[in-house]
Amino acid sequence: MFKLNNVGKKLYFSVLAVFLVFAVSFIVFQQTREKQYKISTLTLKLANYNELLAEDLELSKTCGILLSDSVEVVDSVRVAEAKLEDFVQTHESKDLRVTLVKKDGTVIFDNMSKDYRHFANHAQRAEIVQALKEGMGTSVERQSKTLKQDYFYVASYFPKSHLIVRTALPYNDDLTKSLQADLHYIWFALAAIILLTLVLYRFTNRLAKNVSKLRIFAYKADHNESLEVEDLAKFPNDELGEIAERIIKMYKRIQTTRREQDVLKRQLTQNIAHELKTPVASIQGYLETILDNPHINEEMKSQFLLRCYAQSERLTSLLRDISTLNRLDDGSDMIDFEAVDITQMVSEIVRETALERESHQMTFENLLPDQHIIVKGNRSLLYSVFRNLTDNAIAYAGEGRKITLSAKDQGNKWHFIFCDNGQGVPAEHLSRLFERFYRVDKGRSRKMGGTGLGLAIVKNAVLLHGGTIRVSNQQEGGLKFEFTLKK
């Protein structure tokens, strides 16, 4: 199992800390809120009790009797006290204390102590002060100075009788338990914390695996080491793992492509060297013959010089074609595009190759539409496309053959068909005709003066102009090139 790395640890503990802070805050808030709710409920209950006592006992009348100091009404006072005692016993909760207090703070009744006439003045009790001001007052967990015990007080002021009814419950274990918050949600929060911890650890562990594998990949890629190792064989089945796996696969493809390009570059360099070596060696040989034989006759010397010139022409063509391919490899950003009249260009090529075609008894059938075909492209490269196809047909189709060129409008493209009725090429060579320096008959091609780059230029130029090209043998004989060019 992977251990959490620095990134995984930071993420794990950061998220866990945020959640713990939230959970603790939630628990404290919920406890406070629930306790306040229970206190409010108990306050309302005792306040309702106060109202009930005032209504049922005709408080003003009963208390008027209690307030009397006349000897004649002693019996009536006892009756009033008995009536209060009876009401309290009938309606009280366990340990409920009921106290009647005058507006000036004098206690006139208390069911917990019969010596209430000697109670201290209650005018400064917190619940009494609040009741006189707001109509109702409460005091939670205040110690009774009279009974020396903590009570929960609720006092209600009744203006008609100018009296305050105060009820209280002792703040003992029973009341404490009743005011305690429910612990079920705390257990739920703890369970959620544990669950989140496990899920978060699982997530960060998977993240750590991906990061560790990417780190291994980065190190090996930087040091050009092999990526075919077990650590990089498989990633976790998630989005990040999929992305990491694709990055490595893309890198491997790029590396493979680079290796293939390196091989092609070496082959291309070797081919160029080989192609240049032949004409250079010929020129050197002819010139050495002339220099080593100062008395050579003029006719022979002229013949050698003409051969040197022919080989230099071949070198020029080869260098020109290599330069053209380099331009194509640089891409369209380095090449200027303009409107090019293909119809006019083909007519020029037909005129330029007339003498050469005559020497081979060949004809050129131009079947392009009467309308001028205009495409956006590079004139020099488009000229190379049609000129190389024409030169290729003249060189290899054979004597007395016919070249045909036609075109069709296909929306945003022109579809061209360039064909001859010559001998064609064996089927196994068709797929390689557009390769650089590839020749079907190497000896014959060099004798014809070809550079081996003509069809490679054709293909790359067509692709640069947003088209496609393919080659096939015609059933009746000869080669057929089909290609498109964007308008």
Side-chain angles (χ1 to χ4, degrees), residues 178-225:
S178 68
L179 294 180
Q180 275 185 346
D182 191 357
L183 298 180
H184 287 92
Y185 70 88
I186 296 179
W187 293 115
F188 172 77
L190 291 175
I193 291 174
I194 295 172
L195 179 62
L196 176 74
T197 302
L198 296 175
V199 172
L200 184 61
Y201 180 81
R202 184 171 180 270
F203 171 77
T204 51
N205 186 43
R206 292 167 72 91
L207 177 65
K209 287 182 180 181
N210 287 321
V211 172
S212 298
K213 286 177 179 288
L214 284 174
R215 189 174 182 179
I216 294 172
F217 159 70
Y219 178 85
K220 290 185 174 294
D222 186 48
H223 291 77
N224 291 322
E225 296 182 10

Side-chain angles (χ1 to χ4, degrees), residues 334-404:
M334 306 294 293
I335 299 174
D336 295 328
F337 280 62
E338 60 181 328
V340 180
D341 189 335
I342 300 296
T343 304
Q344 181 183 355
M345 179 186 292
V346 171
S347 297
E348 291 174 3
I349 292 174
V350 172
R351 288 195 301 271
E352 291 170 1
T353 59
L355 291 175
E356 194 173 0
R357 283 187 288 104
E358 269 185 39
S359 65
H360 290 82
Q361 299 178 359
M362 296 183 72
T363 58
F364 194 115
E365 188 175 7
N366 186 355
L367 300 178
L368 295 180
D370 294 335
Q371 69 184 91
H372 282 264
I373 299 175
I374 307 296
V375 300
K376 185 178 181 181
N378 180 269
R379 180 175 177 79
S380 174
L381 294 178
L382 290 174
Y383 178 87
S384 297
V385 171
F386 292 95
R387 182 59 189 260
N388 278 316
L389 290 175
T390 303
D391 289 343
N392 190 73
I394 293 172
Y396 304 112
E399 300 292 322
R401 304 298 182 178
K402 181 174 70 173
I403 300 170
T404 304

Side-chain angles (χ1 to χ4, degrees), residues 390-422:
T390 303
D391 289 343
N392 190 73
I394 293 172
Y396 304 112
E399 300 292 322
R401 304 298 182 178
K402 181 174 70 173
I403 300 170
T404 304
L405 175 62
S406 60
K408 292 180 181 179
D409 189 343
Q410 290 187 339
N412 65 335
K413 293 183 179 181
W414 281 99
H415 181 262
F416 295 90
I417 298 178
F418 186 101
C419 58
D420 62 68
N421 59 350

Side-chain angles (χ1 to χ4, degrees), residues 11-52:
L11 180 62
Y12 177 75
F13 289 113
S14 297
V15 176
L16 190 60
V18 170
F19 184 77
L20 286 175
V21 170
F22 169 78
V24 171
S25 301
F26 172 76
I27 290 172
V28 172
F29 169 77
Q30 185 66 16
Q31 277 191 315
T32 304
R33 180 173 173 271
E34 188 171 354
K35 185 174 182 179
Q36 289 297 329
Y37 171 76
K38 290 187 175 183
I39 289 174
S40 298
T41 302
L42 183 58
T43 299
L44 183 60
K45 179 180 178 182
L46 294 179
N48 289 337
Y49 184 90
N50 295 345
E51 294 281 351
L52 183 62

